[in-house]
Amino acid sequence: MSHDVFNQAPPLTGHDVSADPALLDGVKREDADWALGELRTLGTLAGSARAQEWGRLANDNPPVLRTHDRYGNRIDEVEFHPAWHELMGVAVEHGLHATPWSSARPGAHVARAAKFYVWSQVEAGHGCPISMTYASVAALRHTPALAAVWEPLLVSRTYDFGLRPPAAKRGVLAGMAMTEKQGGSDVRANTTTAEPLGDGSYALTGHKWFNSAPMCDVFLVLAQAPGGLSCFLLPRVLPDGSRNAMRLMRLKEKLGNRSNASAEVEYDGAAAYLVGEEGRGVRTIMEMVNMTRLDCVIGSAAGMRYGVTQAVHHATHRSAFGAPLSEQPLMRNVLADLAIESEAATAAMMRLAGVTDRAIRGVRGEGALRRTALAASKYWVCKRAPAHAAESLECLGGNGYVEESQMPRLFRDSPLNGIWEGSGNVAALDLLRSIVKEPASLDAFFDEVDLAAGADRHLDSAILKIKESVTDTSDLEYRARRVVERLALVFQGSLLVRHSPPAVADAFCASRLSTDWGHAFGTLPSGLDLTAIIDRADVKIN
């Protein structure tokens, strides 16, 4: 070798991913401090070289569709690298899927959110079937008879991969299929039909353009029944062991999310069972969508946390022009700005997890807040994730642009949560509709942000302006993105003012909620305590 290797950052391994002050503060605040031990165990595994290698291998070896066996029989199976199964096994064992539904303990859904956030930083793609399994229970409970059969298997902490009759399995996973070629988000344009067979089941015929995680055991599907668009439960394997008539036509070749399979499917008289009532399919499946939208926020917050920790770690160990990057003023501005964005996303997702937990347990008023705050956060946090990933990658320079750094994977994955479960316009318009139909949800939102009244002049001014803006109904749909953005920002600002260190809250409000904020990261105003912000975002390697 012609030279010594020096001035390179060491691998970021051997740390506890859960040692995140914003995360831990939220866990304690939202009634889940009883789960801190479990969280540390998972966080230590997430920071290990072994787990990070699983993430790399699962993405370098994407799933493969096997439509037929060697004899020509239709099998429609998806084959995964062993690393995928390691990731899934850990996720299920630690209850990142549907386990909270079997617990009446306050904070169960918060604990699950925190663990999902930590483990998603190892690899994001396998979170898709985990998230949908979690969300499926909310919809399935519309039909108690079906829930009685499937819920015990969905909440099981045993990962039991493979297509077999449900009765022969120790645990199952759920997927979802809503959109079709001609409709996309306009699911009422769906053409897949559901014919009642007289024995309580239906025969589904048609197609789905995106079937998420087609290797799962059961799916919630939208189809047109005699009474209108309805929600159905469709198992992959029937009780007699035969394959249901759900044909996997091809796997999507995607920008990111490469470890996970997404498929185009066709149904040829596939057996399915009504969930909820005929004609109320959108309302029924929205129970599932609202849970997966929460996971979109969590997943984007997790990606931001991963990005900023990688950026700070690199800048701490890399020198240029005579000093460590982390000590140079402009880089410090960038790092602090990334850290603020990350903490704001984490604070929002933990509050939303707490609201969700209490709404599920029937706590009065929490459901109204959830309707507005979740939609606003889904729009904004997921919208910020790609820009955050790009800036985090840039902090590593050329080292961040090569696949070995895993930063390109972060960047490719970052747009997905903004698209999944309703892209930006869908999320923004959903929020406007909820405000019109349920004014109490907007009242609950402003009651929440007003808890921080008087603590920061930028926040006070921003709240006043958005109250005026949202009550002005002229061209409101045209302005929807701007309105929802400001709602999300005052929600984050109020949380940081109330719960984060002054350095973080002051910097957030002085930039995001004032006119003195540039268009790129690294444009924070002067006079802020950047040292405290960056130190809070740093990770410690054991």
Side-chain angles (χ1 to χ4, degrees):
M1 186 171 180
S2 63
H3 63 282
D4 295 326
V5 177
F6 64 98
N7 196 27
Q8 290 278 3
L12 181 50
T13 60
H15 63 292
D16 176 3
V17 175
S18 75
D20 173 349
L23 174 69
L24 297 177
D25 289 349
V27 168
K28 296 170 187 174
R29 194 165 58 241
E30 301 292 344
D31 303 322
D33 53 347
W34 51 266
L36 289 173
E38 297 176 48
L39 192 59
R40 279 192 293 271
T41 298
L42 185 61
T44 301
L45 178 58
S48 69
R50 178 172 58 132
Q52 292 176 25
E53 181 68 356
W54 291 339
R56 183 189 71 80
L57 289 170
N59 280 270
D60 286 354
N61 299 274
V64 176
L65 174 62
R66 307 294 185 193
T67 56
H68 296 77
D69 67 13
R70 60 183 291 196
Y71 304 106
N73 298 305
R74 189 95 198 197
I75 57 173
D76 295 295
E77 294 190 355
V78 184
E79 184 179 285
F80 290 86
H81 189 274
W84 166 273
H85 297 298
E86 296 282 5
L87 293 164
M88 290 292 294
V90 171
V92 172
E93 178 187 348
H94 284 267
L96 276 63
H97 59 314
T99 302
W101 297 103
S102 63
S103 173
R105 190 170 192 175
H109 292 268
V110 176
R112 179 260 169 195
K115 289 188 282 188
F116 189 78
Y117 170 92
V118 165
W119 193 240
S120 293
Q121 293 179 55
V122 175
E123 200 283 318
H126 78 289
C128 178
I130 295 297
S131 178
M132 289 186 299
T133 302
Y134 170 61
S136 67
V137 176
L140 197 56
R141 286 184 172 181
H142 282 267
T143 303
L146 286 175
V149 174
W150 288 93
E151 193 169 322
L153 291 168
L154 289 165
V155 304
S156 168
R157 289 201 182 204
T158 300
Y159 175 58
D160 192 0
F161 183 80
L163 297 181
R164 299 188 302 281
K169 301 199 70 174
R170 294 170 295 162
V172 300
L173 298 173
M176 178 168 56
M178 292 199 297
T179 60
E180 298 181 4
K181 295 183 181 74
Q182 73 285 348
S185 295
D186 183 10
V187 294
R188 295 190 186 278
N190 285 5
T191 60
T192 296
T193 60
E195 178 187 357
L197 298 181
D199 61 356
S201 68
Y202 290 70
L204 267 59
T205 302
H207 78 281
K208 293 297 171 184
W209 191 228
F210 278 92
N211 180 279
S212 299
M215 63 287 183
C216 289
D217 302 278
V218 65
F219 299 87
L220 290 185
V221 179
L222 289 178
Q224 300 285 359
L229 189 63
S230 306
C231 180
F232 295 90
L233 180 144
L234 189 153
R236 282 295 310 275
V237 180
L238 300 175
D240 64 2
S242 62
R243 303 286 172 91
N244 206 354
M246 171 182 165
R247 314 302 186 202
L248 308 188
M249 306 310 293
R250 63 170 177 165
L251 299 186
K252 298 286 194 180
E253 294 186 17
K254 298 168 292 185
L255 168 68
N257 194 245
R258 293 179 177 178
S259 68
N260 178 49
S262 304
E264 296 170 25
V265 303
E266 291 187 2
Y267 309 120
D268 186 12
Y273 305 89
L274 183 66
V275 180
E277 303 174 23
E278 278 197 13
R280 296 175 67 86
V282 173
R283 181 180 292 269
T284 301
I285 210 166
M286 278 303 294
E287 295 284 351
M288 183 177 187
V289 169
N290 280 329
M291 302 306 298
T292 46
R293 282 181 175 175
L294 171 61
D295 279 3
C296 289
V297 179
I298 298 171
S300 291
M304 289 187 196
R305 174 62 182 172
Y306 179 86
V308 74
T309 55
Q310 292 289 336
V312 172
H313 176 75
H314 176 85
T316 300
H317 293 89
R318 178 82 164 181
S319 294
F321 309 111
L325 289 174
S326 60
E327 295 179 7
Q328 301 190 28
L330 189 52
M331 178 59 81
R332 291 172 63 74
N333 195 324
V334 172
L335 296 175
D337 213 354
L338 291 171
I340 293 163
E341 194 73 32
S342 172
E343 179 151 349
T346 302
M349 75 93 174
M350 290 307 297
R351 178 68 180 118
L352 292 170
V355 168
T356 298
D357 187 84
R358 285 184 283 277
I360 289 168
R361 291 190 284 112
V363 177
R364 186 179 178 86
E366 294 294 87
L369 173 60
R370 179 185 173 211
R371 278 187 285 279
T372 45
L374 177 57
S377 298
K378 196 281 181 189
Y379 169 82
W380 180 243
V381 173
C382 298
K383 189 67 67 180
R384 293 291 284 167
H388 193 278
E391 195 68 57
S392 298
L393 182 156
E394 188 176 322
C395 287
L396 276 67
N399 284 342
Y401 202 69
V402 298
E403 290 291 341
E404 290 169 311
S405 72
Q406 305 306 325
M407 297 299 281
R409 189 176 88 206
L410 173 69
F411 183 63
R412 286 193 300 269
D413 286 345
S414 63
L416 177 59
N417 286 318
I419 299 169
W420 195 34
E421 306 302 35
S423 56
N425 285 356
V426 172
L429 294 174
D430 279 354
L431 176 53
L432 294 192
R433 279 191 289 269
S434 73
I435 291 172
V436 172
K437 292 181 179 179
E438 300 179 64
S441 65
L442 186 61
D443 294 338
F445 179 88
F446 285 125
D447 287 345
E448 169 77 11
V449 299
D450 282 342
L451 292 173
D456 185 281
R457 63 183 177 87
H458 298 298
L459 177 60
D460 289 343
S461 176
I463 293 173
L464 181 61
K465 288 178 181 177
I466 190 58
K467 284 180 178 179
E468 295 172 351
S469 180
V470 79
T471 54
D472 175 9
T473 57
S474 61
D475 72 349
L476 186 57
E477 183 172 325
Y478 179 81
R479 295 184 291 113
R481 284 191 173 218
R482 181 61 172 162
V483 169
V484 174
E485 174 184 318
R486 298 305 289 181
L487 288 170
L489 286 169
V490 298
F491 179 62
Q492 290 180 326
S494 70
L495 291 170
L496 296 181
V497 164
R498 290 159 55 201
H499 304 302
S500 291
V504 175
D506 292 348
F508 182 91
C509 294
S511 54
R512 278 75 173 159
L513 300 180
S514 80
T515 57
D516 189 17
W517 186 31
H519 295 287
F521 286 101
T523 56
L524 292 173
S526 301
L528 301 172
D529 187 355
L530 302 191
T531 298
I533 297 169
I534 296 170
D535 286 350
R536 183 170 167 85
D538 201 3
V539 295
K540 304 298 184 289
I541 301 176
N542 297 328

